[in-house]
Amino acid sequence: MKKTLAALAVALTFAAQAADIKLVVDADHPGPVIHRNIYGQFAEHLGTGIYEGMWVGPESKIPNVRGWRKDVVQALKDLRVPLVRWPGGCFADEYHWREGIGPRNQRPVKVNTTWGGVPETNAVGTHEFFDLVEQLGAEAYVNGNLGTGSAQEMAEWLEYMTAEGNSTLAQLRRKNGRDKPFRVSYFAVGNEAWGCGGNMRPEYYVDLYKQVATFLKAPEKNRPLFIASGGSDQQTHWTEALSKGIQWNFDAINHHYYTFPSGKWEGKGSAVGFGEDQWISTLANTIKVDETITKNIAILDKNDPKKHLGLYMDEWGAWYDPEPGSNPGFLVQRNTLRDALLAALHFHVFHAHADRVRMSNVAQMVNVLQAMIQTSKDKLVLTPTYYAFRMYVPFQDATSLPAKIENNPVYKVGGAEMPELSATAARGKDGKLYIGLVNANAAQAAELALQVGAAVPRSVHGQLLTAGAMDAQNELGRAAQVTPQAFEAQAKDGKMRLTLPAKSIVVVAVED
Ligand code: AHR
């Protein structure tokens, strides 16, 4: 009896709280466009991220188009991948493009000293990369080598990819099978110059960037946006030094933000088998990306008031302790429901800063870190993160709309806390109003009332992603535990109430 009364009291408290939570979308004051490249991907020569995971070679028994796995390419096409960054990461500063052109059997075999010490056959080079992005219908982001490269090497690579005339490099590209130039949308000068890219001071990097950028030339209609390599985590001093120091051939600064459950590089935390303490610490660390972006944008607003420069979050995602038994240099980790929520929370933050955050790249596309797809031989599995990306496709190139949650509860576990609910709204290219919602609370559902201005919508329909366990995952050879389900709700008694299950993502189109 006591128990029943206690349960009733909890239910009543929940109902009382729930009535107070409201999401108000302001459809009359549109914000900036959410650039589709916010949904970009990152593919590095790392572990089985490219070799095996995507590239199997034209001779493989695994069905492929010119060496790229058909099943993986199709799954990525379904995800509308808008942009791929390549060849690194840290690998970019050891990559020499001339070793990746010409007949594949004559390319030098190197050692991938950054990632796992395994052979790098150079089978995937410039032509293969562009074949992949063209099969995907995506844009190309090429990361130049500043660490062990030179201004000459980067300038010649850009000429090789983009030259139209009869220069020796354009002719070499043609000899290697490509007549018309490749379309290079973005070109970065080095990667993580503060670390694996050369352990530099920002001031030193600024000087090097200015030197290199002087020689980066491409035909006007194929000029990439040029990216300077910025800081990471909560840092701001790279953004300050770069935005003050560089003036020319300079369109964006990148910034890297990884989430570790423990908040520490050493002993990051496990990808599976965690408790609610690590669930909340991971998601609470994730949303701190908002602080990072806000601080860096404040610096850009001071040094670049005309808003020319973009802040590209070109590496982000969950980074856990490596999967036991795997090569630690391959950055293999499981992918769970927690990662899907982590991705959705990033999207909400990126949308909120869409005027400067015009591109981001999740780390990484296949088999590495927070991957969309995991492969084993000829099989593949779509991860919970894959489904989060797929649910948010309507936000690509949509126009952001202010969305405010009133009376958002605080979700607390032990000493950790964060807002329970997160929301984003936008007018899609199809004219529909879309809303994305996350309920971070691992234990309790939430109910919220939805209003668009003063109006109550008639209905909503879309998809819900949740699962029974916090670390539910989709594993090869087993039934998937995390896949989207249909979600809909109708207005009743003059209110539109949405019930978000515990630990869930909901993306809906709103009918007025
Ligand atoms: O994504 C893995 C690595 O993380 C990248 O190569 C590097 O840029 C970052 O430190």
Side-chain angles (χ1 to χ4, degrees), residues 433-452:
L433 171 61
Y434 288 95
I435 292 179
L437 289 155
V438 171
N439 178 8
N441 193 320
Q444 206 161 64
E447 188 182 271
L448 60 79
L450 172 64
Q451 264 182 227
V452 178

Side-chain angles (χ1 to χ4, degrees), residues 14 78 93 102 164 179 197 233 249 251 260 263 304 309 329 333 341 408 417 427 432 445 463 469 502 506:
F14 171 58
D78 295 344
D93 282 299
E164 285 161 354
D179 180 19
D233 309 318
N249 252 357
D251 302 291
F260 316 122
D304 170 45
L309 296 174
Q333 64 189 36
L341 269 80
N408 195 352
E417 59 177 61
R427 180 73 63 189
K432 291 187 186 164
Q463 291 193 314
V506 167

Side-chain angles (χ1 to χ4, degrees), residues 257 259-263 268-269 274-288 320 338 342 411 413 416-418:
Y257 189 90
T259 299
F260 316 122
S262 67
K268 299 178 183 67
F274 48 84
E276 201 176 343
D277 56 336
Q278 295 240 323
W279 166 274
I280 190 172
S281 68
T282 305
L283 299 184
N285 288 340
T286 296
I287 58 171
K288 287 188 193 147
Y320 304 116
R338 178 175 65 176
L342 183 150
Y411 170 41
V413 178
E417 59 177 61
M418 65 181 288

Side-chain angles (χ1 to χ4, degrees), residues 436-493:
L437 289 155
V438 171
N439 178 8
N441 193 320
Q444 206 161 64
E447 188 182 271
L448 60 79
L450 172 64
Q451 264 182 227
V452 178
V456 173
R458 222 165 6 109
S459 64
V460 302
H461 60 91
Q463 291 193 314
L464 157 74
L465 194 71
T466 188
M470 292 181 289
D471 63 350
Q473 52 181 310
N474 299 336
E475 290 178 278
L476 282 164
R478 293 194 181 177
Q481 292 177 29
V482 193
T483 53
Q485 306 152 36
F487 180 97
E488 56 180 43
Q490 268 79 36
K492 214 176 140 203
D493 304 329

Side-chain angles (χ1 to χ4, degrees), residues 329-345:
F330 280 16
L331 311 186
V332 177
Q333 64 189 36
R334 305 282 184 101
N335 196 293
T336 69
L337 176 66
R338 178 175 65 176
D339 298 301
L341 269 80
L342 183 150
L345 290 170

Side-chain angles (χ1 to χ4, degrees), residues 80-157:
R80 310 268 169 85
V81 168
L83 168 78
V84 185
R85 176 180 183 229
W86 171 85
C90 296
F91 181 80
D93 282 299
E94 290 199 276
Y95 181 66
H96 299 286
W97 68 272
R98 283 179 190 271
E99 295 173 350
I101 56 170
R104 275 192 289 274
N105 60 6
Q106 288 168 29
R107 297 182 192 173
V109 176
K110 308 274 289 266
V111 177
N112 188 335
T113 52
T114 312
W115 301 117
V118 292
E120 165 56 59
T121 62
N122 277 302
V124 171
T126 303
H127 291 254
E128 289 79 12
F129 168 65
F130 279 94
D131 188 16
L132 172 68
V133 291
E134 287 171 5
Q135 287 188 37
L136 291 174
E139 289 184 76
Y141 169 2
V142 175
N143 207 117
N145 176 351
L146 181 69
T148 62
S150 64
Q152 181 181 3
E153 191 179 0
M154 275 184 269
E156 289 181 349
W157 194 10

Side-chain angles (χ1 to χ4, degrees), residues 223 225 247 249-252 304-310 312 356 358:
R223 177 195 178 274
L225 294 175
Q247 293 84 27
N249 252 357
F250 177 41
D251 302 291
D304 170 45
K306 290 194 176 146
K307 293 190 186 285
H308 170 70
L309 296 174
Y312 294 168
R356 289 277 190 187
R358 302 166 202 154

